[in-house]
Structure formats: C-alpha cells, structure tokens
C-alpha cells in the first residue's frame, strides 16, 4: 500500500532535510528577494483521491498526472454582489502581503 504521508527520513536539523523543506515550502531568489506564490481557490471542498494516496502521482493509472478529482462545493455562489466585494477585498489584501524572513 502506498504511503499516506510524506516520509521524513532525516532529522529536522540535517542540512539536506532543511534544503528539502526549503524547496518544498518556499525559497529566496536572493538574500533580500523573497519569492513565493499564493494560490487562493474558492468553491472546492477538497479532492477525491479515488482510493489512492495524495502522494501517488504521475502513475500510468492516473494518466501520468495527479490522481483523483476536485470535489466542488455546489453551495458556493460567487454571483451575489456582497460575495464579489468580499472576494475582491481578499485579493487586494493578498496583493499587499509582504514576505518576511
């Protein structure tokens, strides 16, 4: 059975493990230039992995891509003006976020 969690094969203090975590969780282009991406998604409840592990991907059974399908929230409705104002404000706030090191 495939793993259901990412394996940690080294201690937290190991320099190789620190590099793995930095690559996975964020990185710096330079000492003063933080770089990262923020993705905001609405209307999705989660993912149906169809009996597979979330770490199982790029397999022939999954057409060499991620396994599973997004599970959409049928109650999500972005059309009301109040919701549109809220989404716009969230995006504006996100655009002002500054990375800290």
């Amino acid at each position: 059975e495939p793993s259901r969690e990412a394996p940690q094969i080294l201690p937290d203090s190991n320099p190789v493990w620190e590099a793995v975590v930095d690559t996975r969780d964020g990185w710096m282009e330079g000492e003063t230039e933080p770089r990262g991406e923020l993705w905001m998604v609405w209307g999705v409840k989660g993912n149906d992995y169809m009996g597979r592990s979330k770490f199982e991907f790029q397999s022939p059974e999954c057409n060499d891509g991620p396994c599973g399908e997004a599970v959409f929230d049928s109650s999500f409705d972005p059309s009301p003006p109040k919701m549109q104002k809220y989404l716009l404000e969230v995006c504006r706030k996100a655009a002002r976020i500054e990375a800290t090191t």
Side-chain angles (χ1 to χ4, degrees):
E1 180 176 332
S3 175
R4 300 270 178 207
E5 296 180 20
Q8 181 172 346
I9 56 175
L10 300 169
D12 287 339
S13 60
N14 183 289
V16 173
W17 184 251
E18 289 177 356
V20 168
V21 170
D22 286 347
T23 301
R24 181 191 66 201
D25 296 343
W27 60 92
M28 303 280 284
E29 285 188 23
E31 288 186 22
T32 60
E33 297 177 47
R35 178 174 182 248
E37 293 182 7
L38 174 64
W39 290 64
M40 294 185 289
V41 179
W42 289 279
V44 176
K45 285 185 180 181
N47 191 47
D48 177 358
Y49 293 101
M50 302 174 157
R52 299 188 174 279
S53 165
K54 66 181 177 180
F55 301 106
E56 188 176 355
F57 55 90
Q58 294 182 326
S59 66
E61 296 86 4
C62 300
N63 297 319
D64 297 323
C67 295
E69 295 180 356
V71 177
F72 295 98
D73 182 352
S74 60
S75 68
F76 178 73
D77 180 7
S79 63
K82 188 175 181 178
M83 177 61 83
Q84 291 182 15
K85 288 178 184 178
Y86 170 78
L87 296 175
L88 179 61
E89 184 59 27
V90 169
C91 291
R92 286 179 174 159
K93 286 180 179 180
R96 292 191 300 265
I97 293 174
E98 292 187 24
T100 59
T101 57

